[in-house]
Amino acid sequence: ERRGTIYTYSIVHSGTEAFQDKTPYVLAVVEVNRQKRMARVEGYTESTDIEIGMEVVFLAEDQMGNPIYVFA
Amino acid sequence: MRSVSVIGIGETKIGRFPDKSLRELIQEAGTKAIDDAGIGREEVEALFMSNFNAQAFSGQGHLGPLAAEALGLGNIPTLRIEGACASGSLAFRQALHAVATGLYDVVLVGGVEKMTHQSTGPVTAGLAGAADIDLEAGVGATFPSIFAMIANRYFHEFGNVRHEMALCAVQNHENALLNPHAQLQKRITVEQVKNGVPIASPFTIFDCSLVSDGSAFVVLAATDLAKAVSRKRLVEVVGCGQAGDTLTLASKKSMTTFDATVLAARNAYAQAGLRPSQIDLAEVHDCFTITQIINSEDLGFFAKGAGAYALAEGKTALHGQIPINVSGGLKAKGHPIGATGLCQIYEIVTQLRGDGGARQLKKADIGMTHNIGGTAATCVVSIFRGR
């Protein structure tokens, strides 16, 4: 299943060293088929109006096999 | 199980002490606690030592023998206990059971953390180990961002309480002004909180607890023995519950109710034979402003969704219906992780003895500490009664 919805989220301005160069980035708990998983959502800009329930689409897996999503 | 009481407490000032070693922090707080108990060091039968991550922050492990040596406790059994931010309360609970079951008559519980000599990177990385390193830290999560997601979900379910979260920070800073041990004795305003440096939406830096150094110790004794040796008001441990939950946020049944808090509190209330309305004051884990609000509901003080508004109405203020974090909390007194649970106990015992100085409550007979580790994956709730 490639589509999911945002169950909750935060725009991260201060991340760990490994992710600091990506700030600000969106971290979300994404719900897919009633299963929840934490993931980054790419494509955020200051004009992005994020809401809980918003649809996201699977983009790729990172090096650790964790899913990365993008706003639909 | 026999009754157990607190007969001694000791604490360093909480703050930034880059020049003080772990050993020096332990010596200061431990010596104060033993002196406060009015016992000789040879009477301490075991040491339960709490610490989160001295290996990462200072390169030091094996803290049990280090502390016993620093305090001149000889060849007694020691152990070090870790449960993230709940480490101190976990050590306390193990020590409590060791005395309650008759294994020992008098034991010492200590906690210490030293972080401020490190730069933000190693501290953030060290703290991330209290979350899931693959499924959470591995995708860019930090503790502020995890609790920020909890806050945003809370807004979705119960309404936007951003203003009340700011009031929570302001209130805890006000209380800390009266606590000589507090790290941040600085008044702040709602506007400062809302307009602070953004960390993870909706949090600014003023929604977050502090990076701290510090140590706290507690002496526990069988109550029958305590009556004979203690010169101060006896503080009996009448309830101590512990519960757990999933490590990862995404796996929790709810993100706006901390099940571990609900269950640990239920257990502690049952042991004590008390209801939430009978608690005179509580030190409630406030790693972030939303955390205090949610926990104030889960401890039974307020209905679900009502915690923020109760705070705004002054019900948790210094002389409110149920004063919360009169010490200043993790937010302003400080958060020396391995010592935090014991710092909470230090405050409750101080209040129950009537030694709170400018922040002393008029009625302080029954107090509670609430301490969580990780994303409320570990929780200990303890209830104390002055006799």
Side-chain angles (χ1 to χ4, degrees), chain B residues 61-247:
Chain B
H62 216 180
L63 286 181
L66 174 76
E69 180 182 329
L71 294 168
L73 298 177
N75 299 100
I76 63 169
T78 69
L79 76 161
R80 174 261 181 110
I81 292 167
E82 186 274 317
C85 304
S87 298
S89 290
L90 288 177
F92 174 79
R93 190 165 186 268
Q94 294 308 305
L96 173 72
H97 289 169
V99 177
T101 55
L103 185 61
Y104 304 114
D105 289 330
V106 179
V107 300
L108 185 61
V109 193
V112 68
E113 209 72 59
K114 178 175 165 56
M115 301 187 279
T116 66
H117 61 294
Q118 288 283 7
S119 60
T120 302
V123 170
T124 305
L127 295 175
D132 190 297
I133 206 72
D134 296 321
L135 299 177
E136 296 184 319
V139 300
T142 58
F143 266 100
S145 63
I146 292 173
F147 278 89
M149 285 191 275
I150 289 171
N152 278 325
R153 186 69 201 179
Y154 187 96
F155 291 3
H156 180 73
E157 293 182 16
F158 300 108
N160 189 319
V161 296
R162 180 68 192 99
H163 179 74
E164 289 77 9
M165 284 163 53
L167 284 172
C168 179
V170 169
Q171 178 178 289
N172 289 354
H173 275 253
E174 287 295 320
N175 290 344
L177 288 170
L178 304 174
N179 185 351
H181 284 186
Q183 181 171 351
L184 267 191
Q185 293 175 303
K186 170 184 167 186
R187 180 167 281 125
I188 58 173
T189 66
V190 167
E191 288 67 34
Q192 277 179 294
V193 178
K194 290 180 178 176
N195 298 320
V197 175
I199 300 297
S201 66
F203 294 160
T204 71
I205 195 161
F206 288 109
D207 288 286
C208 306
S209 58
L210 307 173
V211 174
S212 312
D213 303 329
S215 178
F217 276 74
V218 170
V219 182
L220 287 175
T223 298
D224 286 348
L225 181 69
K227 286 174 181 168
V229 301
S230 186
R231 300 157 298 176
K232 302 187 175 179
R233 187 186 194 190
L234 216 54
V235 175
E236 185 184 4
V237 187
V238 293
C240 185
Q242 180 187 338
D245 199 352
T246 61
L247 183 63

Side-chain angles (χ1 to χ4, degrees), chain A residues 19-38:
Chain A
F19 290 87
Q20 192 58 37
D21 63 340
K22 298 182 188 299
T23 56
Y25 58 87
V26 174
L27 195 62
V29 172
V30 175
E31 191 167 30
V32 179
N33 292 335
R34 305 188 73 176
Q35 294 287 312
K36 300 187 192 80
R37 186 157 182 183
M38 197 174 287

